[in-house]
Amino acid sequence: MRKSILLTLLIAITFISCRKKGCTDPYANNYNSTAQVDNGTCLYDSIIPNIASLIINTSHVFENKSFSFDSIYQDNFGNQIQFSRATFYLGKPKYINTSQSTIDSNNNYVLIDPTNTSYNLGAVIPGIYQELDLLMGVDLITNHLDPAIYDSDNALSYQSPSMHWQMGSSAQNWSYLFIVLEGLVDKNGNNNFDAGESFVFHIGNDGLTSEINDIIVNLIVQEGENEILEFKVDWSRFFDGIDLSTNNFTHTADNPTLADAISNNGVNVLQVQ
């Protein structure tokens, strides 16, 4: 499995430098039909008629409790935990129509976090769609582009706190942080968060995206009319099967097994309302 991922990465890196960059949004004024990689340069009129966008509204929970950074929860093993940071990338929507054809509408990404409840996933080509595929993380090509090419209001631009690893001078060695979870965990069960009792999960690098496929949506997209989907984000599902008293730290490379587990659990975090 890992050999396959490494081979895929090597092939992708070989072609990144020769893939033509430009605006890949067909609704933009400067759409470039020959561009293979969107470089964030798309230009639009101040008012764009007849374009539909997908808006996703989110409610945030931990199991059956409303999510709050001030709240204390329990993982599956009874450990008390409190979050200080929780966020992940979501995007690259693919729409499956009634003929089972897949429409790659855009390459947009949003940064999901509990302090926001509404996100614009970008333009949707008019049509009737019964399923939606989403990617948690960032795709293989976009993952190695320079965040500096994006406008500051783009989720893929540089963020504070950082959502990007920049190792060395070559973007081929860079990666976005796909999932970031941080907080406190009562490791010894004394009902206190003692010094050093924390959890930190920074998940990134190629091969650690989560494909959330076959989401039943039944969308009828018409020109100029935005479509809205309601999602529940259950942050507890990232920790399924993980005892935070003993497995509570990874920057991916230092504990790839734990990073894999967090990434794999990502497919269960989103639920259509």
Side-chain angles (χ1 to χ4, degrees), residues 43-108:
L43 300 175
Y44 303 90
D45 295 329
S46 57
I47 299 177
I48 309 174
N50 301 325
I51 292 183
S53 294
L54 177 65
I55 309 298
I56 59 172
N57 293 334
T58 56
S59 59
H60 298 266
V61 300
F62 190 96
E63 294 181 332
N64 59 351
K65 299 178 181 179
S66 179
F67 186 97
S68 169
F69 286 110
D70 296 325
S71 296
I72 295 175
Y73 306 104
Q74 285 190 348
D75 68 7
N76 297 153
F77 295 83
N79 304 302
Q80 292 189 8
I81 65 172
Q82 183 175 12
F83 285 84
S84 60
R85 190 179 176 196
T87 188
F88 61 86
Y89 276 105
L90 183 73
K92 203 174 177 61
K94 296 182 179 181
Y95 301 88
I96 295 87
N97 62 25
T98 53
S99 300
Q100 290 297 301
S101 298
T102 299
I103 309 297
D104 294 328
S105 187
N106 63 65
N107 199 39
N108 285 3

Side-chain angles (χ1 to χ4, degrees), residues 87 152-153 156 172 194 230:
T87 188
S152 60
D153 60 351
L156 293 172
Q172 295 178 4
D194 300 324
E230 305 285 342

Side-chain angles (χ1 to χ4, degrees), residues 5-15:
I5 291 173
L6 289 173
L7 178 60
T8 302
L9 173 58
L10 289 172
I11 293 172
I13 289 175
T14 302
F15 286 99

Side-chain angles (χ1 to χ4, degrees), residues 75-252:
D75 68 7
N76 297 153
F77 295 83
N79 304 302
Q80 292 189 8
I81 65 172
Q82 183 175 12
F83 285 84
S84 60
R85 190 179 176 196
T87 188
F88 61 86
Y89 276 105
L90 183 73
K92 203 174 177 61
K94 296 182 179 181
Y95 301 88
I96 295 87
N97 62 25
T98 53
S99 300
Q100 290 297 301
S101 298
T102 299
I103 309 297
D104 294 328
S105 187
N106 63 65
N107 199 39
N108 285 3
Y109 288 92
V110 295
L111 198 51
I112 304 291
D113 75 81
T115 64
N116 294 319
T117 57
S118 187
Y119 306 86
N120 190 330
L121 272 179
V124 186
I125 296 173
I128 301 176
Y129 305 102
Q130 58 188 21
E131 294 178 11
L132 170 68
D133 293 347
L134 292 170
L135 187 72
M136 183 179 292
V138 178
D139 67 89
L140 188 66
I141 301 301
T142 306
N143 195 34
H144 297 285
L145 297 179
D146 189 344
I149 69 175
Y150 300 102
D151 291 337
S152 60
D153 60 351
N154 191 307
L156 293 172
S157 65
Y158 284 110
Q159 304 292 314
S160 181
S162 178
M163 287 296 294
H164 193 260
W165 281 320
Q166 195 158 318
M167 299 165 284
S169 58
S170 172
Q172 295 178 4
N173 297 320
W174 301 353
S175 175
Y176 284 91
L177 296 178
F178 302 163
I179 303 166
V180 171
L181 305 167
E182 299 176 2
L184 302 173
V185 53
D186 179 16
K187 298 179 184 178
N188 57 18
N190 68 350
N191 295 318
N192 289 306
F193 295 125
D194 300 324
E197 290 193 324
S198 62
F199 65 86
V200 176
F201 302 117
H202 289 185
I203 313 301
N205 288 333
D206 300 310
L208 287 173
T209 54
S210 300
E211 296 182 357
I212 307 173
N213 296 333
D214 305 325
I215 303 169
I216 304 300
V217 292
N218 296 318
L219 292 175
I220 302 176
V221 180
Q222 300 179 5
E223 290 187 355
E225 296 185 9
N226 291 343
E227 290 295 325
I228 298 175
L229 289 177
E230 305 285 342
F231 281 94
K232 180 171 69 175
V233 182
D234 186 350
W235 294 89
S236 73
R237 301 306 301 270
F238 278 118
F239 302 143
D240 284 351
I242 297 173
D243 185 345
L244 292 180
S245 69
T246 55
N247 290 307
N248 46 56
F249 187 94
T250 181
H251 280 176
T252 299

